[in-house]
Amino acid sequence: MNNSDTKLSYFGLVPLIIFLVIYFLFGIIYKDFSVMPLLVAMTISFLLFLAIMPQDKKNDTITSFCKGAGHPTIMMMVTIYILSGAFSASISAIQGSDFIAINSIKFLPSFLLLPGMFLIGTVLSFSMGSSMGAATALMPVALSIVAHSDISAPLACGVVVSGVIAGDNLSFISDTSVAAAAVTGTTIKGKFKESILVFVVPAIITLLILLCIPIECTISESSNIPIFNLIPIIMVIILSIKGISVIPVLAIGTVLSFIVGYVEGMFTIAEFLTAIHAGIMRLEEMALIAVVAGGLIGLAQDNGGIEWICQKISKHSQNKKFSAISIALTTILLDIVTANNTMAIITCGPIAKIICEEQDLSRTKVATILGYFSTITNGVVPYAGHLMAVSGLSKITPISVIPYVFFDLIGFVTGFLWLIFQPEKIFSFLKKKEEVQ
């Protein structure tokens, strides 16, 4: 959707600015962010932007919006939402998630449930290379734990998102890692080593917070669910770890759930179809939000808003420290604008590489900055994929999950402290000192 002849202008950001102002203004005034639905706020912002455009530009504006709404990335998200709803409903229908939840509560101390959920999400996402796939696989279990304990749905969703975001940033095979290494000309292995240093602190703090949250569990039923009902979940995890795309994996998981449940006589064909239709409908609004958000992103790109951000922030790259902070801020803003961490990395990459060469910054550090800040930002953007998916499955608002995405929120603080104080220089100095001795 990028056009080399597009004039750089902040005007391209107007639709997104209108949307954010409307959404947060209503939320603040009424002290309830569900008063103004995301979909309505986005639609109003598009219509207002269309209204202020000159008459001869209105058709081009509509075309840009439609191109953005139908972008392959957006359509892939919509497909994932549809299959996520179907898979979640099918797993619930055969009580596979209940089996894991009940046995986890039975055999694990309650204080380990939330840290365990975070670590499992991290490992799944790291292994699968897909934070969306990991979140989809883990959410049915998380919701079952919510049903059998006093853990709130927003808290469970926040822990799941924290875990999968943490794992995605470290993964060797995620789109984020591949894109960050490619645009900076470094290796994924080098990026991983640097990323570990940034990952450890927010991860430990997140685990400590989760360990301190008191939990009460109640199991009012005996676990007489056959262990064979875990086959779909196990297969989804195995196929994902092997690198198969999330779309066929979710489809296979849904089909296996039907086979297992039908053979055991848990439902008829009609009942199963009704169940997965209900699951898909849970994410219907989120799919529409993704489409309209894609349209607003298309307007920002075609009207030069994204390039304008890159140009303005790159001007403040006066030394190594400010250059690193500039790259981080650019990545954050682009992620907010595009709601896609990989797209933010690819867009920011060329400018980051120029800054890297001008200021003699380490390529692995720049790759880490791009990957780290794009992923943690994506986890707290209310109209991005992760929050929309988990909130849609839980029937809550995306904004209600944000306060519980501990890893990301803590990660912003520790990430910028890392850029300001540059602890790698201290480690390098101590290492050299040891070698001299």
Side-chain angles (χ1 to χ4, degrees):
M1 285 186 290
N2 292 334
N3 187 347
S4 58
D5 297 326
T6 300
K7 184 180 178 181
L8 304 187
S9 173
Y10 68 88
F11 188 68
L13 301 176
V14 168
L16 289 163
I17 293 171
I18 294 174
F19 154 64
L20 292 172
V21 168
I22 291 173
Y23 183 71
F24 284 103
L25 188 63
F26 272 80
I28 292 168
I29 291 173
Y30 290 95
K31 298 180 180 179
D32 182 3
F33 284 94
S34 63
V35 170
M36 173 56 73
L38 280 170
L39 186 59
V40 175
M42 288 179 173
T43 304
I44 292 172
S45 66
F46 167 63
L47 294 175
L48 287 175
F49 183 72
L50 184 63
I52 63 176
M53 291 296 286
Q55 188 63 38
D56 60 334
K57 293 290 182 76
K58 290 189 186 294
N59 285 337
D60 290 340
T61 302
I62 294 171
T63 300
S64 290
F65 179 85
C66 293
K67 279 169 57 184
H71 191 271
T73 302
I74 301 299
M75 289 298 102
M76 182 174 288
M77 283 179 63
V78 170
T79 307
I80 291 172
Y81 288 152
I82 291 170
L83 291 173
S84 295
F87 174 70
S88 177
S90 68
I91 288 296
S92 297
I94 63 172
Q95 298 181 309
S97 53
D98 287 336
F99 180 92
I100 297 174
I102 291 170
N103 284 284
S104 296
I105 291 170
K106 274 186 175 180
F107 298 109
L108 281 178
S110 59
F111 68 88
L112 290 179
L113 287 174
L114 289 175
M117 204 184 298
F118 172 77
L119 290 173
I120 291 170
T122 302
V123 173
L124 273 179
S125 185
F126 175 82
S127 305
M128 295 164 66
S130 168
S131 51
M132 280 292 290
T136 301
L138 190 55
M139 271 308 295
V141 177
L143 293 177
S144 291
I145 291 175
V146 168
H148 295 96
S149 69
D150 62 351
I151 298 173
S152 68
L155 173 58
C157 290
V159 174
V160 169
V161 172
S162 290
V164 301
I165 289 293
D168 183 77
N169 182 48
L170 293 175
S171 178
F172 283 86
I173 57 176
S174 70
D175 291 345
T176 304
S177 296
V178 172
V183 297
T184 53
T186 187
T187 63
I188 295 177
K189 185 178 179 181
K191 176 195 170 294
F192 173 79
K193 288 180 179 178
E194 185 100 20
S195 296
I196 283 287
L197 295 173
V198 196
F199 162 84
V200 168
V201 176
I204 291 174
I205 296 173
T206 298
L207 285 171
L208 291 174
I209 291 172
L210 296 178
L211 283 168
C212 294
I213 297 175
I215 298 169
E216 288 186 11
C217 301
T218 53
I219 303 177
S220 58
E221 61 200 82
S222 59
S223 180
N224 56 358
I225 305 165
I227 196 169
F228 296 106
N229 292 23
L230 291 179
I231 291 174
I233 293 178
I234 293 170
M235 186 59 68
V236 162
I237 293 172
I238 291 172
L239 293 176
S240 299
I241 291 173
K242 283 184 172 293
I244 299 174
S245 174
V246 65
I247 290 176
V249 165
L250 291 174
I252 291 169
T254 304
V255 172
L256 283 176
S257 297
F258 166 71
I259 294 170
V260 170
Y262 187 73
V263 169
E264 292 180 5
M266 299 184 74
F267 44 68
T268 64
I269 294 176
E271 288 170 343
F272 181 77
L273 293 175
T274 301
I276 62 171
H277 177 263
I280 292 170
M281 287 299 101
R282 282 186 187 179
L283 290 171
E284 178 186 23
E285 184 182 4
M286 299 306 161
L288 289 172
I289 289 171
V291 170
V292 179
L296 297 183
I297 293 165
L299 291 175
Q301 288 180 316
D302 286 355
N303 287 281
I306 292 175
E307 290 82 357
W308 181 82
I309 290 175
C310 293
Q311 186 189 66
K312 289 295 179 182
I313 293 185
S314 64
K315 287 182 178 179
H316 298 284
S317 305
Q318 301 166 352
N319 54 43
K320 285 188 177 182
K321 186 182 293 186
F322 281 108
S323 296
I325 293 172
S326 295
I327 293 170
L329 289 173
T330 306
T331 305
I332 290 169
L333 287 174
L334 289 175
D335 205 305
I336 293 171
V337 171
T338 63
N340 184 296
N341 50 344
T342 305
M343 196 180 295
I345 291 170
I346 292 170
T347 306
C348 183
I351 290 179
K353 193 172 182 181
I354 292 171
I355 294 172
C356 176
E357 291 170 354
E358 289 178 351
Q359 299 295 336
D360 195 28
L361 276 170
S362 163
R363 290 186 178 186
T364 54
K365 181 169 184 174
V366 173
T368 301
I369 293 170
L370 291 171
Y372 179 78
F373 283 99
S374 66
T375 49
I376 63 171
T377 303
N378 205 250
V380 293
V381 174
Y383 47 92
H386 302 91
L387 287 184
M388 289 203 296
V390 298
S391 61
L393 290 170
S394 310
K395 296 183 179 178
I396 56 177
T397 60
I399 203 80
S400 68
V401 181
I402 294 176
Y404 301 102
V405 189
F406 299 121
F407 178 83
D408 299 55
L409 298 175
I410 295 165
F412 281 114
V413 178
T414 58
F416 277 106
L417 288 175
W418 166 59
L419 295 180
I420 292 168
F421 294 106
Q422 303 177 52
E424 69 273 10
K425 286 189 175 181
I426 299 173
F427 295 139
S428 177
F429 171 76
L430 291 175
K431 189 175 180 182
K432 287 179 180 177
K433 191 175 181 181
E434 286 177 4
E435 290 174 353
V436 170
Q437 292 176 344

